[in-house]
């Protein structure tokens, strides 16, 4: 019985091949472009921040999925806040495979009034 399970699992790929590995630089470039296109010159409005974060997250996720990263689950976290000279610290925990998992992040600061 163990042998038949082993034979079935031999055809299942657990790790992505080299061409399908997550490339943080490519993903960061996508994120940077989307943030610049959508947020340049936009004035912070607290009542629209929730909707804008959802729209940005959906757009970023759709663009990253176009990179053919089929072996990955893509999680997008967007935070929008007003710059008033206060600091913000955020944390996140994930199960991580150091050989294959990675992350990309980008920060956009707007100087609109």
């Amino acid at each position: 019985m163990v042998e038949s399970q082993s034979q079935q699992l031999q055809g299942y790929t657990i790790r992505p091949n080299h061409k399908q590995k997550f490339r943080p630089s490519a993903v960061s470039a996508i994120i940077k472009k989307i943030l610049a296109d959508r947020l340049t010159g936009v004035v912070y409005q607290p009542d629209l921040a929730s909707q804008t974060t959802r729209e940005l997250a959906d757009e970023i996720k759709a663009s990253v999925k176009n990179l053919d990263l089929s072996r990955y689950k893509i999680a997008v976290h967007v935070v929008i806040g007003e710059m008033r000279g206060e600091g913000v610290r955020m944390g996140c925990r994930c199960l991580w495979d150091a050989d294959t998992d990675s992350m990309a992040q980008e920060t956009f600061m707007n100087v609109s009034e």
Side-chain angles (χ1 to χ4, degrees):
M1 177 127 179
V2 174
E3 186 176 327
S4 70
Q5 287 177 342
S6 175
Q7 289 174 346
Q8 289 176 348
L9 294 177
Q10 287 178 356
Y12 184 76
T13 305
I14 294 175
R15 297 182 180 271
N17 65 31
H18 181 68
K19 291 181 182 179
Q20 292 179 325
K21 261 193 154 180
F22 186 87
R23 297 177 306 280
S25 59
V27 175
S28 289
I30 290 170
I31 297 169
K32 187 174 187 172
K33 181 179 181 345
I34 291 171
L35 293 178
D37 291 348
R38 293 283 309 275
L39 298 177
T40 299
V42 175
V43 177
Y44 177 75
Q45 297 178 14
D47 53 330
L48 296 178
S50 177
Q51 177 183 347
T52 304
T53 57
R54 282 192 299 270
E55 291 171 358
L56 285 169
D58 291 343
E59 187 174 345
I60 291 167
K61 187 173 184 177
S63 296
V64 171
K65 282 189 171 192
N66 288 335
L67 294 177
D68 189 30
L69 302 171
S70 61
R71 304 297 310 166
Y72 290 93
K73 178 175 183 170
I74 307 299
V76 179
H77 183 77
V78 176
V79 176
I80 295 179
E82 186 173 18
M83 290 177 29
R84 290 196 233 170
E86 300 167 350
V88 175
R89 288 194 174 234
M90 299 185 70
C92 178
R93 290 185 182 196
C94 300
L95 294 176
W96 199 267
D97 181 348
D99 292 336
T100 58
D101 294 339
S102 190
M103 62 170 267
Q105 65 183 17
E106 194 64 42
T107 302
F108 180 87
M109 288 193 238
N110 198 346
V111 292
S112 67
E113 296 182 28

